[in-house]
Amino acid sequence: MAFVIGILFMSATYLMLSKSLLRIIVGTGLLSHGAHLLILTMGGLKRGTVPLLDEKASAYTDPIPQALILTAIVISFGVTAFFLVLAYRSYQELGTDNMERLRGTEGND
Amino acid sequence: MSLLHLAIISPFLLAILVPILYKSFRQIHTGWFVLPLPILLFSYFLSFLSIQEPITKSVPWIPFLGIDFIAKIDGLSLLFALLITGIGSLVVLYSVYYLSKDKEKLNTFYVYLLLFMGAMLGVVLSDNLIVLYMFWEFTSFSSFLLIGYWYHKEKSRYGAQKSMIITVFGGLSMLGGIILLYIMTGSFNISEIMEIVPSISDHTLFIPALLCFLVGAFTKSAQFPFHIWLPDAMEAPTPVSAYLHSATMVKAGIYLVARMSPVFAAEGLWLWLVGGVGIITLFWGSFNAVKQTDLKAILAYSTISQLGMIMSLLGIGAAALHFEGIEKSVYAAAITAAVFHLINHATFKGSLFMVVGIVDHETGTRDIRKLGGLMNFMPITFTLAIIGTFSMAGLPPFNGFLSKEMFFAGMLRVLELDIFSFETWGLLFPVIAWLASVFTFLYSMILVFKTFTGKFQPEKLEKKPHEAPIGMLISPIILASLVIIFGLFPNILSNSMIAPAINAIMPGNAADVHISFWHGFTPELFMTIGVIATGILLYISLPKWRRVYDLFPKKLTLNRLYDGSLEFAQSISKKLTSGYMNGSIRTYLVYIFSFFIVILASTIAVKDAFKMDTSNISSIGFYEILLALAIVVASISILFAKSRLTSIILLGSVGYTVSLFFVLFRAPDLALTQLVIETISVALFLLCFYHLPKNSKNEERIRFKLTNLLISIGVGAIVTVIALSAHSNKMFDSIAQYYVENTYEKAAGKNMVNVILVDFRGFDTLFEITVLSIAALGIFTMIKLKMKGGRKNENK
């Protein structure tokens, strides 16, 4: 899994370094996927069954990383949604999505 | 809190009252309210004249840091305190007549002046170095305010800024010296440090501490090459120049050198630096004074040169503190000369500044090219000027003569020094000193004769000159009569003030006999005669050789260097800042990611942390490989996606694969959430995509950039490596067992993840809800609230 996560991080970084705002947000999406998978992987994979007590199994997977990820997913969703609307608004107001053109002008920063 | 502390603080207290007095009594000049305080303080300090032992009073301030407000009065402090309060009274009296009640903001002037007076008293009476430093910076600060008193003038602001930068630079350096001394001795108290000093003079920090202190003293006392602020400080009102820049503040550095002499003077470097810099300053100041045309500029350079003279005497006198069998009393005489000249300089320079102020006040100019023949209009002022300048030049009936004789004697003694390789270069000292005295004589003559004799030029003057009001003349008259009294009866000072001061500088080296000894045909006398003869010769032929000064290129002055380096620093920092802060988010991300890679990679390399342990890796199944392939392919093809739509769909597919992973890795809640959320996110992405502006909507691939690729590969590799080694270095087991056991027993639930979210760790969930609500509210406001500024852009 570590390699998969590495590749996710790599693509995310590459996208975030690009010029288009939308691609940067796609990059952040990939980055959060990578981070979530990383948490899951670090918790240990496949040691038992689903963390539901009804299963009556002898071993369960670690429930803590799952709880953490659930929190992280929701938060990153909130942030992503906010960013997207922010991007949408800036298209409307500024008429561009090119990051190189989105700069403070002299005396305006 | 003793009376001594009250004396130090009283000017600050009065400064608080001054604005109230100014506002309530508009008819009376505010200076009259200020005047009683310095007089009172002066008489209070006079009562200490008979003391034999130093008096120390302590008030705790920050005891756990060893910082107490310790006021200590000994001979040296007393001398300075008398100078400060005595000349302070005269200057306040003078300023009452000099500054107009109606035109000037007198409240600010006297507040600043009182701040300065209190700070100066604090400097000379503090025994604790930190407290001394505090008052030291207070003097810099109040001097800054006073120089910039006429703040509407650009030159005032320039002068104030310059003096602030230079003196604060020195002050900070001094603070460094104080801290170094504290590291070595463990004490901030000067009297304690003096006792410890012999045991630390071999410490590695000793020389740095010495240099730090000297930089502080040299900047404050306008020594070469830090003298450049003093001529520009002449934009201050004349009472301020007379008080701060001739009699008191510029002597704070002298005070510091004298005070620290017992600490540092056993070191040869101290002798060379204090003596050498002093003599260079002496020469450079007097040499430059001759070419000035502004009366105050002449006096400023003259102050610089006289301060250099005192400083060099202190340096030579420090030889007396050297412990290896030299005749100490001979060099102690140099200290005597320094202290004596210190008093003399304060008297004649103060009166000269006041005289110049009178000339300025009555004629409207200070330019010697416009002045001349004022003798008949202003006889009293002329007499005062004669006394002051002749004393400055070192002519016999006045006190300057005695100190100059003692100065030459001190310099001649240098020839006999056989320590610190003075036997080879020591000859320079008397030669330079003699040359400098010739120039001193020259500018003194220029000062008095170009102003008061020669042709009267009424057409160049703004006002019709006449004698000054008597109130303005009182202070210079008092100072000038002191010049004569000290000249004729030097011994009234010697045993009451000078001897205790010398005892404070050099404990146990009493030298009282030397002061009364002031007659006899010594080599010094012939040197003085030579000075006078050469000086007169040079003054007569002045127009012929004046052009020598034009030979020195104007570009090569220290002022140019100062201005240039300020500009250079500004432009360099501007270039640097605009170089790396280019406003592009991509560049900043490159910085951030590069630092991430470099720091993590080097840490891993240095700590040798990479370890791959396959023992606790679970087996990899077929489905995992399939999903991993899918996610890798999807994420990499995002990079090559030509249209944005493709990349959005690919992102969606990555998200769904992730949720499949969650299924596979036994995380049902995660899978559910991920599925739903990914759907909504993709919908949002599509919304954004749809609203892209038409004009720049050229669908193109991401342009390839090698740096981007390298950085992203680096980030990916680092994350992989860290993940692998973290997984392989597990230290202890998870705490998950507790949750597994207690989810039902204690929390009445069977879904462990949900129980953790709302029960065991419900706090996180609360704030996660908050995050979502903030995001929702934020989105709502962003869409609904359109600011007025934003409207304009939309219309374009």
Side-chain angles (χ1 to χ4, degrees), chain A residues 44-77:
Chain A
L45 296 175
K46 285 212 292 187
R47 296 230 195 89
T49 180
V50 201
L52 296 174
L53 281 180
D54 279 344
E55 295 289 320
K56 306 276 186 246
S58 57
Y60 298 94
T61 46
D62 197 335
I64 305 170
Q66 297 196 10
L68 294 181
I69 294 167
L70 200 60
T71 313
I73 288 176
V74 176
I75 290 177
S76 65
F77 166 68

Side-chain angles (χ1 to χ4, degrees), chain B residues 16 58 93 104 153 180 271-272 320 322 351 411 438 524 528 539 606 608 756 767:
Chain B
I16 299 172
S58 176
L93 179 67
E104 308 286 355
K153 285 202 238 163
L180 289 178
L271 228 150
W272 267 111
H322 196 74
S351 77
M411 288 300 137
V438 172
E524 297 94 89
T528 305
Y539 178 71
V606 168
D608 198 20
I756 289 175
F767 289 108

Side-chain angles (χ1 to χ4, degrees), chain B residues 270-580:
Chain B
W270 174 273
L271 228 150
W272 267 111
L273 272 178
V274 178
V277 170
I279 203 105
I280 291 170
T281 313
L282 166 64
F283 176 74
W284 190 246
S286 59
F287 178 70
N288 272 304
V290 175
K291 73 173 176 183
Q292 306 300 322
T293 54
D294 179 21
L295 289 176
K296 271 177 107 176
I298 298 179
L299 287 179
Y301 276 103
S302 138
T303 302
I304 293 169
S305 121
Q306 307 275 324
L307 289 171
M309 171 171 158
I310 300 174
M311 201 64 102
S312 66
L313 281 169
L314 282 178
I316 303 304
L321 285 153
H322 196 74
F323 302 106
E324 283 166 25
I326 51 174
E327 204 187 335
K328 284 178 187 174
S329 57
V330 174
Y331 299 99
I335 302 267
T336 315
V339 175
F340 188 48
H341 193 68
L342 182 82
I343 303 170
N344 293 343
H345 177 247
T347 53
F348 69 71
K349 193 53 67 68
S351 77
L352 278 178
F353 266 109
M354 291 174 184
V355 162
V356 165
I358 290 171
V359 170
D360 187 15
H361 206 266
E362 303 305 330
T363 62
T365 183
R366 297 194 310 248
D367 195 329
I368 50 170
R369 288 167 299 190
K370 293 181 185 169
L371 293 166
L374 293 178
M375 190 167 63
N376 298 327
F377 298 92
M378 308 166 89
I380 305 175
T381 320
F382 173 60
T383 317
L384 296 172
I386 286 273
I387 296 170
T389 43
F390 280 16
S391 172
M392 182 157 76
L395 295 181
F398 307 106
N399 58 5
F401 170 69
L402 295 175
S403 44
K404 182 133 299 181
E405 295 290 283
M406 288 156 87
F407 169 62
F408 282 146
M411 288 300 137
L412 287 173
R413 292 280 177 258
V414 173
L415 298 175
E416 299 162 18
L417 264 183
D418 54 357
I419 46 169
F420 311 132
S421 57
F422 265 94
E423 60 274 16
T424 40
W425 294 100
L427 184 65
L428 282 176
F429 277 77
V431 171
I432 298 176
W434 187 81
L435 273 177
S437 298
V438 172
F439 281 110
T440 306
F441 183 85
L442 196 58
Y443 71 70
S444 302
M445 295 305 111
I446 292 177
L447 189 69
V448 64
F449 289 118
K450 295 271 180 197
T451 312
F452 291 98
T453 60
K455 216 174 86 209
F456 178 52
Q457 301 160 300
E459 69 282 356
K460 288 187 184 168
L461 300 179
E462 289 164 27
K463 302 177 185 169
K464 193 168 163 19
H466 56 79
E467 188 57 87
I470 184 69
M472 218 182 221
L473 288 168
I474 294 174
S475 304
I477 286 174
I478 294 176
L479 286 174
S481 37
L482 284 179
V483 168
I484 299 177
I485 292 170
F486 292 162
L488 296 179
F489 311 103
N491 291 320
I492 55 167
L493 279 179
S494 55
N495 288 324
S496 56
M497 284 169 71
I498 297 177
I502 290 161
N503 263 328
I505 300 173
M506 301 182 300
N509 284 294
D512 43 358
V513 275
H514 284 267
I515 300 170
S516 44
F517 174 70
W518 59 288
H519 267 296
F521 286 98
T522 48
E524 297 94 89
L525 191 65
F526 297 109
M527 277 172 88
T528 305
I529 293 171
V531 165
I532 295 170
T534 323
I536 290 174
L537 213 66
L538 280 177
Y539 178 71
I540 292 168
S541 60
L542 186 64
K544 285 177 193 154
W545 61 272
R546 205 184 175 106
R547 265 176 287 144
V548 171
Y549 283 108
D550 299 335
L551 292 178
F552 291 94
K554 282 200 171 144
K555 284 178 185 174
L556 276 176
T557 60
L558 286 162
N559 276 322
R560 288 287 288 237
L561 189 71
Y562 165 83
D563 292 338
S565 56
L566 268 195
E567 263 169 41
F568 181 71
Q570 271 176 4
S571 69
I572 280 287
S573 68
K574 192 171 180 208
K575 261 184 207 156
L576 265 179
T577 314
S578 52
Y580 76 90

Side-chain angles (χ1 to χ4, degrees), chain A residues 5-17:
Chain A
I5 296 161
I7 285 174
L8 278 177
F9 268 84
M10 186 198 83
S11 330
T13 313
Y14 194 84
L15 284 171
M16 284 164 80
L17 290 172

